Amino acid sequence: MRYSILLASLISVFGLSACERPTTVVNVPATPAPVAGPAGPQGETGMQGASGTPGETGTQGATGAQGYEGAQGETGKTGGGTVIVVPVQPQ
């Protein structure tokens, strides 16, 4: 019995909420935007603010690793008897 009453009340709630109710639309006239007038005189210049405190010095980075002796290149060889002549460009 109590399930049938609960079921009947749920059906009536859903049935009444599904009914279309007319909505009332109220047209409110928009207020016109105010029109700005001419600009007034310029005001005085304000006071300058105080300077900020300087920041702290950052920590120094570590020294890089030094290369080993084997990384050094060999001395170049002297040239043979070849002579290279560069042509002169006309001016």
Side-chain angles (χ1 to χ4, degrees):
M1 180 74 175
R2 65 178 166 162
Y3 291 120
S4 62
I5 294 174
L6 179 64
L7 184 62
S9 64
L10 284 176
I11 290 174
S12 64
V13 166
F14 287 127
L16 291 175
S17 65
C19 294
E20 183 179 343
R21 287 183 260 163
T23 57
T24 306
V25 177
V26 178
N27 290 330
V28 178
T31 56
V35 177
Q42 185 174 356
E44 294 182 16
T45 305
M47 294 174 31
Q48 186 174 359
S51 297
T53 57
E56 295 182 16
T57 305
T59 58
Q60 187 173 359
T63 306
Q66 188 172 0
Y68 59 93
E69 291 295 323
Q72 203 170 22
E74 296 179 9
T75 307
K77 297 179 183 176
T78 59
T82 307
V83 177
I84 299 175
V85 178
V86 179
V88 179
Q89 294 183 358
Q91 294 180 358

